[in-house]
C-alpha cells in the first residue's frame, strides 16, 4: 500500500477498531515542537519549566496561574491557545470526535492552522488505501488554500503557499524532522507524472486541472464522498456537473464563503450576473444511498454542492460545511 501525507502526523497516532484516530503523547509533542512554543534563549524560567514538563508528560494539566506567570505576553497567548486546544482534543476518544465537536460548537479562537492540521490528518485517515493520485491531489483543497489560474480555457489550481514564494509559510516541525524538501517546482498532474505524486505528496507542488469534464472535479467528488462516509457514517454519491443555470436548488451546501453567498442569492430567487457565475469553480449533485436518512421535506431530492473562488482567484474550501450543511435527520448526533 502506498503512503502519502506523512507530514500530517498520522504515523504518530493509533487507529482504533472504530476506525478513528486515537491521540498519543507523540502526536501531542508535535505542538510543543512548533516555533511559537519553543522557548527562546531569553525566555523566563516559568516558560522553560512548563515546556520541559510538558515534553516529559504532554497530558500534564497546566494551570491558568502557571501560564499567567510567563513574562512575555505573546508567549502567554500562544500557550493559552495551545493548552486550550490540547484539552479539547483530550476530552474525546478520537480526533474525529474532537473535530466534530469543534464544528458543532464553533471554532472560536482556535487558530486556523490547528483546524487545517486536524482536517489534514483526519482526511489522511479517511482516504487511507486510496490508490488514485488525482483524488489525493484534489483532497488537498480541504486544508490548503489554492490559487486559480485561467489559461486557454482551462482552470488550473495550485497550492497558494507553494507558488507564493516556494512555501513561504513556516515549515511544520514534522516536515523539518523528516527532511522533506520545501523548495519545489510546479507540475500539473497528468497521466505521465501521476505516479510521482506519492514521493512528493508532502511538497504540495502539483497543480490540478479543475476544468469541467476533465476529471479533476470528479476526483474532488470522490474525496468528498470519503470525508462524509468517514465522519458521518453516511454513504452518498457525488457527481460533478457542468452548468449552474436552471438547477433547482431545493437544498444546497456552499463549500466556501463565496459559494454560500452565490447559493443564497439563487435560493432567494435573485439573479446572479456573469461575474458571479464565472467565480463558480465546481457544481456537484449529491444523492443519498439511503434517502430515509434525509429530513422529510427534501427526502429523495438531490443536494447541490457549490465551490467558488474569491475575486482574487483563491479557493478556501470549508470541509466542515459538508458535516453541518447536509439535510440529515438528527444531525446533532454527529459528535
Amino acid at each position: 500500500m502506498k503512503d502519502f501525507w506523512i507530514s500530517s502526523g498520522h504515523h504518530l497516532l493509533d487507529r482504533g477498531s472504530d476506525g478513528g484516530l486515537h491521540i498519543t503523547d507523540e502526536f501531542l509533542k508535535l505542538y510543543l515542537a512548533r516555533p511559537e512554543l519553543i522557548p527562546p534563549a531569553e525566555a523566563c524560567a516559568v516558560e522553560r519549566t512548563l515546556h520541559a514538563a510538558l515534553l516529559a508528560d504532554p497530558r500534564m494539566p497546566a494551570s491558568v496561574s502557571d501560564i499567567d506567570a510567563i513574562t512575555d505576553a505573546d508567549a502567554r497567548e500562544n500557550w493559552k491557545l495551545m493548552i486550550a486546544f490540547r484539552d479539547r482534543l483530550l476530552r474525546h476518544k478520537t480526533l474525529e470526535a474532537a473535530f466534530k465537536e469543534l464544528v458543532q460548537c464553533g471554532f472560536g479562537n482556535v487558530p486556523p492552522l490547528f483546524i487545517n492540521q486536524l482536517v489534514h490528518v483526519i482526511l489522511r485517515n479517511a482516504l487511507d488505501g486510496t490508490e488514485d493520485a488525482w483524488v489525493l491531489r484534489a483532497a488537498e483543497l480541504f486544508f490548503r488554500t489554492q490559487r486559480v489560474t485561467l489559461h486557454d480555457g482551462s482552470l488550473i489550481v495550485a497550492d497558494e503557499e507553494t507558488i507564493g514564494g516556494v512555501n513561504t509559510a513556516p515549515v511544520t516541525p514534522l516536515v523539518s524532522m523528516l527532511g522533506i524538501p520545501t523548495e519545489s517546482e510546479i507540475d500539473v498532474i497528468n497521466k505521465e507524472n501521476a505516479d510521482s505524486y506519492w514521493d512528493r505528496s508532502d511538497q504540495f507542488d502539483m497543480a490540478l486541472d479543475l476544468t469541467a469534464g476533465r476529471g479533476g472535479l470528479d476526483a474532488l467528488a470522490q474525496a468528498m464522498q470519503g470525508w462524509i462516509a468517514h465522519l458521518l457514517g453516511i454513504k452518498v454519491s457525488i457527481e460533478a456537473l457542468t452548468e449552474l443555470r436552471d438547477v433547482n436548488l431545493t437544498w444546497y451546501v456552499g463549500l466556501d464563503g463565496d459559494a454560500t453567498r452565490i447559493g443564497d442569492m439563487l435560493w432567494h430567487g435573485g439573479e446572479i450576473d456573469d461575474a458571479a457565475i464565472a467565480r463558480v469553480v465546481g457544481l456537484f449533485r449529491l444523492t443519498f444511498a439511503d434517502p430515509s436518512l434525509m429530513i422529510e421535506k427534501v427526502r429523495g431530492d438531490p443536494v447541490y454542492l457549490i465551490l467558488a473562488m474569491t475575486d482574487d482567484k483563491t479557493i478556501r474550501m470549508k470541509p466542515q460545511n459538508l458535516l453541518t450543511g447536509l439535510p440529515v435527520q438528527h444531525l446533532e448526533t454527529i459528535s
Side-chain angles (χ1 to χ4, degrees), residues 230-244:
H230 184 68
L231 284 166
L232 294 183
I234 295 173
K235 185 177 181 180
V236 299
S237 176
I238 302 177
E239 172 192 7
L241 306 178
T242 58
E243 182 62 58
L244 177 61

Side-chain angles (χ1 to χ4, degrees), residues 169-235:
V171 177
T172 66
L174 191 58
V175 167
S176 299
M177 286 188 288
L178 295 171
I180 297 171
T182 58
E183 295 190 3
S184 51
E185 296 181 359
I186 298 294
D187 296 313
V188 179
I189 190 170
N190 56 42
K191 292 180 180 179
E192 287 70 38
N193 64 22
D195 282 344
S196 71
Y197 181 86
W198 306 99
D199 292 329
R200 60 200 289 188
S201 68
D202 289 290
Q203 299 178 41
F204 305 109
D205 64 347
M206 298 194 87
L208 178 69
D209 189 342
L210 287 184
T211 308
R214 293 188 187 170
L217 292 174
D218 293 328
L220 181 57
Q222 290 185 54
M224 290 190 289
Q225 288 175 184
W227 175 254
I228 293 169
H230 184 68
L231 284 166
L232 294 183
I234 295 173
K235 185 177 181 180

Side-chain angles (χ1 to χ4, degrees), residues 137-187:
R137 173 56 188 91
E140 292 177 17
L141 273 73
F142 281 58
F143 56 92
R144 305 275 300 189
T145 300
Q146 304 292 306
R147 176 72 63 178
V148 180
T149 300
L150 303 174
H151 179 68
D152 290 339
S154 297
L155 192 155
I156 309 296
V157 299
D159 188 273
E160 184 180 50
E161 291 180 2
T162 302
I163 65 175
V166 193
N167 281 334
T168 56
V171 177
T172 66
L174 191 58
V175 167
S176 299
M177 286 188 288
L178 295 171
I180 297 171
T182 58
E183 295 190 3
S184 51
E185 296 181 359
I186 298 294
D187 296 313

Side-chain angles (χ1 to χ4, degrees), residues 21 43 47 55 95 107 116 122 138 149 227 240 261 285 304 325:
L21 296 171
E47 184 180 356
L55 279 176
L95 283 184
F107 293 150
N116 288 336
I122 292 171
T149 300
W227 175 254
R261 285 187 286 273
R285 180 167 52 222
Y304 292 95

Side-chain angles (χ1 to χ4, degrees), residues 77-91:
E77 182 64 21
N78 290 337
W79 278 104
K80 286 178 180 178
L81 289 172
M82 193 283 287
I83 293 298
F85 180 69
R86 182 207 63 172
D87 290 347
R88 295 188 77 160
L89 296 185
L90 291 177
R91 285 200 296 268

